Amino acid sequence: MNPSNVRSRLTRDFPPNRRYLIGVSGGRDSIALLHWLINLDYKKLIVCHLNHQLRARSSDADARFVEKLAKKYQVDFELGAANVRVLANKKKMSIETAAREARYSFFAKAAKRRRCHTTFLAHHADDLVETFLLNLIRGTGTTGLAAMPDVSTRRVDNVDLTIVRPFLSVWRTEIDDYVDEHRLKFREDASNKNLGPMRNRARNRIIPYLEKIIGRNVRQNIWRTAIIAADEENWIVNAVPDSTNPDLLVSKLRALPVALQRRAILKWLRAQNISEVGFEVIERVRSLVDREASIAKVNLPQDRHVRRRAGKIFVE
């Protein structure tokens, strides 16, 4: 693994002498990222580990492993716990989505407590390819296709998190070589081999099949398309009106092209902490803008609603 261009940009934009959070699951990717950053003289890292309570004793062992590693590197440690299965059932969402929400909520709490709002995550090039492919299948549009930029800002529980993914141009095989070269110990998650979750099927079945029938450059081509989509998405997002107000003005939405209407609604719903925002949800809200609309209320996930009244659209 020799991401020299990544190294120069990272140390320029995020100087090593400052404090940063880093998400560490105990798996090979996050272990490699932690080791790599330590070697780049990032000495003020705060290792953050969330126990998802999904694998009983194995989850507890993961937490102990990461805590010992933080002590070895002489960096601070933040431990959190969340019953992800209960959270998924309560909010009627997938385990993967619930786990992601729990992690970001944990990062937000750690950021607020530590007064440090930048978090390093170990997503890599293969993760980007898998996410792009899954979102393409789900029909998320370019917003979903560009869902994993190398640097982004995410508002969680009224905390603005800067998410940095230094390995987004580094392939899994390169990380494997790095781990082997430095003889790094890590925790193997047996659930990664379970073909139940869609991501695992994409990783272990769909992408290898595409490579077999199309060619070995499939991953690289998908990765390149995802990077282009991310740059274009950033440009479009900047053209979307501000979403911090609790209400949307119907007149302003009507004045926008359909594409920007959808983006404005998406940005606004996310600012209102509405999860599971997909095309159907956005279109339901957008129907309230129609002059001929006979309804003034539409449903959202988690038993919430959007209502139109007096020229305004708001969540209740």
Side-chain angles (χ1 to χ4, degrees), residues 268-297:
W268 174 69
L269 287 173
R270 286 178 172 172
Q272 310 308 310
N273 293 319
I274 303 298
S275 61
E276 301 285 313
V277 179
F279 179 78
E280 292 182 358
V281 171
I282 292 172
E283 288 301 282
R284 285 202 295 268
V285 175
R286 202 170 69 82
S287 70
L288 299 177
V289 178
D290 192 339
R291 296 180 188 277
E292 306 299 323
S294 59
I295 58 172
K297 177 183 175 182

Side-chain angles (χ1 to χ4, degrees), residues 3-292:
S4 56
N5 57 330
V6 176
R7 183 187 303 115
S8 59
R9 180 185 174 189
L10 181 71
T11 54
R12 181 195 68 212
D13 296 343
F14 303 95
N17 60 344
R18 298 180 185 172
R19 287 198 303 168
Y20 304 98
L21 307 177
I22 175 172
V24 180
S25 66
R28 66 173 63 222
D29 303 336
S30 60
I31 292 301
L33 177 61
L34 176 60
H35 183 272
W36 187 71
L37 290 172
I38 291 292
N39 281 352
L40 287 182
D41 214 29
Y42 284 83
K43 303 298 187 183
K44 297 181 180 180
L45 295 174
I46 303 166
V47 170
C48 299
H49 177 85
L50 179 68
N51 185 337
H52 296 77
Q53 301 180 352
L54 288 171
R55 296 183 294 119
R57 293 181 180 178
S58 292
S59 292
D60 295 336
D62 290 347
R64 291 193 298 270
F65 172 79
V66 175
E67 184 174 14
K68 288 180 180 178
L69 196 61
K71 289 181 180 178
K72 173 185 174 181
Y73 289 136
Q74 297 182 330
V75 294
D76 289 345
F77 179 67
E78 283 276 341
L79 175 63
N83 193 322
V84 169
R85 201 175 303 279
V86 170
L87 181 65
N89 291 335
K90 181 179 179 181
K91 293 191 173 184
K92 298 178 181 178
M93 59 178 60
S94 67
I95 291 290
E96 185 179 17
T97 300
R100 184 170 58 249
E101 285 203 358
R103 282 195 299 272
Y104 279 111
S105 181
F106 166 57
F107 292 147
K109 290 182 177 68
K112 190 173 183 178
R113 182 164 50 251
R114 297 283 187 160
R115 297 182 181 180
C116 172
H117 289 204
T118 299
T119 304
F120 291 126
L121 297 181
H123 296 117
H124 49 72
D126 290 273
D127 289 323
L128 180 61
V129 169
E130 292 160 10
T131 299
F132 181 95
L133 189 60
L134 290 175
N135 286 343
L136 178 66
I137 293 170
R138 290 166 179 154
T140 60
T142 54
T143 301
L145 301 184
M148 199 183 285
D150 56 351
V151 179
S152 61
T153 301
R154 184 175 186 139
R155 189 166 183 81
V156 183
D157 301 335
N158 296 318
V159 175
D160 290 322
L161 289 174
T162 297
I163 309 299
V164 184
R165 300 178 174 93
F167 281 1
L168 214 55
S169 61
V170 179
W171 296 95
R172 182 178 289 117
T173 54
E174 295 177 280
I175 293 175
D176 290 345
D177 291 343
Y178 183 88
V179 168
D180 291 342
E181 178 188 351
H182 294 278
R183 299 180 180 179
L184 301 180
K185 294 181 179 180
F186 59 91
R187 294 282 298 174
E188 192 73 70
D189 187 349
S191 64
N192 288 334
K193 298 179 181 179
N194 177 9
L195 294 180
M198 179 61 79
R199 178 174 292 276
N200 289 354
R201 277 179 278 169
R203 176 182 305 157
N204 299 312
R205 290 288 187 271
I206 298 174
I207 294 176
Y209 180 71
L210 289 175
E211 288 181 327
K212 181 179 178 180
I213 64 173
I214 297 176
R216 290 293 177 180
N217 60 346
V218 165
R219 293 175 195 259
Q220 184 67 42
N221 290 345
I222 295 176
W223 179 87
R224 187 182 298 117
T225 304
I227 294 298
I228 293 171
D231 290 337
E232 293 181 354
E233 176 68 14
N234 185 55
W235 171 71
I236 294 172
V237 166
N238 289 331
V240 175
D242 186 36
S243 61
T244 56
N245 293 329
D247 303 328
L248 280 179
L249 293 178
V250 173
S251 58
K252 287 189 175 181
L253 271 181
R254 283 176 180 161
L256 296 175
V258 171
L260 287 185
Q261 285 181 10
R262 290 179 177 139
R263 297 308 183 100
I265 291 169
L266 172 63
K267 194 173 181 179
W268 174 69
L269 287 173
R270 286 178 172 172
Q272 310 308 310
N273 293 319
I274 303 298
S275 61
E276 301 285 313
V277 179
F279 179 78
E280 292 182 358
V281 171
I282 292 172
E283 288 301 282
R284 285 202 295 268
V285 175
R286 202 170 69 82
S287 70
L288 299 177
V289 178
D290 192 339
R291 296 180 188 277
E292 306 299 323

